[in-house]
Coordinates of all heavy atoms in Angstrom, one line a residue:
A34 N -1.1 1.3 5.1 CA -2.2 0.7 4.5 C -3.6 1.2 5.1 O -4.6 1.4 4.4 CB -2.3 -0.9 4.8
G38 N -5.7 3.4 2.8 CA -7.0 2.7 2.6 C -8.1 3.7 2.7 O -9.0 3.8 1.8
I42 N -9.9 4.8 -0.8 CA -11.3 4.4 -1.2 C -12.1 5.8 -1.3 O -13.0 5.8 -2.2 CB -11.9 3.6 0.1 CG1 -11.2 2.3 0.0 CG2 -13.4 3.5 0.0 CD1 -11.6 1.4 1.2
F113 N -2.2 5.3 -6.3 CA -2.2 3.9 -6.9 C -3.4 3.2 -6.4 O -4.2 2.6 -7.2 CB -1.0 3.2 -6.4 CG -1.0 1.7 -6.8 CD1 -0.6 1.3 -8.1 CD2 -1.4 0.8 -5.9 CE1 -0.6 0.0 -8.4 CE2 -1.3 -0.6 -6.2 CZ -1.0 -1.0 -7.5
Y114 N -3.7 3.3 -5.0 CA -4.9 2.6 -4.5 C -6.2 3.2 -5.0 O -7.2 2.5 -5.3 CB -4.8 2.6 -3.0 CG -5.9 1.8 -2.3 CD1 -6.1 0.5 -2.7 CD2 -6.7 2.3 -1.3 CE1 -7.1 -0.3 -2.1 CE2 -7.6 1.5 -0.7 CZ -7.7 0.2 -1.0 OH -8.8 -0.6 -0.4
Q117 N -7.0 1.9 -8.4 CA -7.4 0.5 -8.3 C -8.9 0.4 -7.8 O -9.7 -0.4 -8.3 CB -6.6 -0.3 -7.3 CG -5.1 -0.4 -7.7 CD -4.8 -1.2 -9.0 OE1 -5.5 -2.3 -9.1 NE2 -4.1 -0.7 -9.9
I118 N -9.3 1.3 -6.8 CA -10.6 1.4 -6.3 C -11.5 1.8 -7.4 O -12.7 1.2 -7.6 CB -10.7 2.3 -5.1 CG1 -10.0 1.6 -3.9 CG2 -12.2 2.5 -4.7 CD1 -10.6 0.3 -3.4
A121 N -12.2 -1.0 -9.7 CA -13.0 -2.1 -9.0 C -14.5 -1.6 -8.9 O -15.4 -2.5 -9.3 CB -12.5 -2.3 -7.6
L153 N -17.4 -5.2 -3.2 CA -16.6 -5.6 -2.1 C -15.5 -6.6 -2.5 O -14.3 -6.4 -2.0 CB -17.4 -6.2 -1.0 CG -16.7 -6.6 0.3 CD1 -16.0 -5.4 1.0 CD2 -17.6 -7.1 1.3
T154 N -15.8 -7.6 -3.2 CA -14.9 -8.6 -3.6 C -13.7 -8.0 -4.4 O -12.5 -8.3 -4.2 CB -15.5 -9.7 -4.4 OG1 -16.6 -10.3 -3.7 CG2 -14.5 -10.8 -4.8
S155 N -14.0 -7.1 -5.4 CA -13.0 -6.5 -6.2 C -12.2 -5.5 -5.3 O -10.9 -5.4 -5.4 CB -13.6 -5.7 -7.3 OG -14.3 -6.6 -8.2
I156 N -12.8 -4.9 -4.3 CA -12.1 -4.0 -3.4 C -11.1 -4.8 -2.6 O -9.9 -4.3 -2.4 CB -13.1 -3.2 -2.5 CG1 -13.9 -2.2 -3.3 CG2 -12.4 -2.5 -1.4 CD1 -15.0 -1.5 -2.6
I157 N -11.5 -5.9 -2.1 CA -10.6 -6.7 -1.3 C -9.4 -7.2 -2.2 O -8.2 -7.2 -1.8 CB -11.4 -7.9 -0.7 CG1 -12.4 -7.5 0.4 CG2 -10.3 -8.9 -0.1 CD1 -13.2 -8.6 0.8
R158 N -9.7 -7.6 -3.4 CA -8.7 -8.1 -4.3 C -7.6 -7.0 -4.6 O -6.4 -7.2 -4.5 CB -9.3 -8.5 -5.6 CG -8.3 -9.3 -6.6 CD -9.0 -9.8 -7.8 NE -10.0 -10.8 -7.5 CZ -11.3 -10.8 -7.7 NH1 -11.8 -9.7 -8.1 NH2 -12.0 -11.8 -7.4
V159 N -8.0 -5.7 -4.9 CA -7.1 -4.7 -5.2 C -6.4 -4.3 -3.9 O -5.3 -3.7 -3.9 CB -7.8 -3.5 -5.9 CG1 -8.4 -4.0 -7.2 CG2 -8.9 -2.8 -5.1
S160 N -7.1 -4.4 -2.8 CA -6.4 -4.0 -1.5 C -5.3 -4.9 -1.2 O -4.2 -4.5 -0.7 CB -7.5 -4.1 -0.3 OG -8.5 -3.1 -0.6
A161 N -5.5 -6.2 -1.4 CA -4.4 -7.2 -1.2 C -3.3 -6.9 -2.1 O -2.0 -6.8 -1.7 CB -4.8 -8.6 -1.5
L162 N -3.5 -6.5 -3.3 CA -2.4 -6.1 -4.2 C -1.7 -4.9 -3.8 O -0.5 -4.8 -3.8 CB -3.1 -5.8 -5.7 CG -2.1 -5.3 -6.7 CD1 -1.0 -6.3 -7.1 CD2 -3.0 -4.9 -8.0
T163 N -2.5 -3.9 -3.3 CA -1.9 -2.7 -2.8 C -1.0 -2.8 -1.6 O 0.1 -2.3 -1.5 CB -3.0 -1.6 -2.5 OG1 -3.8 -1.4 -3.7 CG2 -2.4 -0.3 -2.0
I164 N -1.5 -3.7 -0.7 CA -0.7 -4.0 0.5 C 0.7 -4.6 0.2 O 1.7 -4.3 0.7 CB -1.5 -4.9 1.5 CG1 -2.6 -4.1 2.1 CG2 -0.6 -5.5 2.6 CD1 -3.5 -4.9 3.0
I165 N 0.7 -5.5 -0.8 CA 1.9 -6.2 -1.2 C 2.8 -5.1 -1.9 O 4.0 -5.1 -1.7 CB 1.6 -7.3 -2.2 CG1 0.9 -8.5 -1.5 CG2 2.9 -7.8 -2.9 CD1 0.4 -9.5 -2.4
N166 N 2.2 -4.2 -2.6 CA 3.0 -3.1 -3.2 C 3.6 -2.2 -2.1 O 4.7 -1.8 -2.2 CB 2.0 -2.2 -4.1 CG 2.8 -1.1 -4.8 OD1 3.8 -1.4 -5.6 ND2 2.4 0.1 -4.6
V167 N 2.8 -1.9 -1.0 CA 3.3 -1.2 0.1 C 4.5 -1.8 0.8 O 5.5 -1.1 1.2 CB 2.2 -0.9 1.1 CG1 2.7 -0.3 2.4 CG2 1.1 0.0 0.5
S213 N 0.1 -12.0 3.5 CA -0.9 -11.0 3.1 C -1.7 -11.5 1.9 O -2.9 -11.2 1.9 CB -0.2 -9.7 2.7 OG 0.5 -9.2 3.8
G217 N -5.8 -12.3 1.8 CA -6.6 -11.5 0.8 C -7.4 -12.6 0.0 O -8.5 -12.4 -0.3

Side-chain angles (χ1 to χ4, degrees):
I42 289 176
F113 173 81
Y114 186 50
Q117 297 294 318
I118 290 294
L153 182 59
T154 301
S155 296
I156 290 173
I157 293 173
R158 189 177 291 114
V159 299
S160 297
L162 174 66
T163 302
I164 288 174
I165 292 171
N166 185 57
V167 169
S213 300

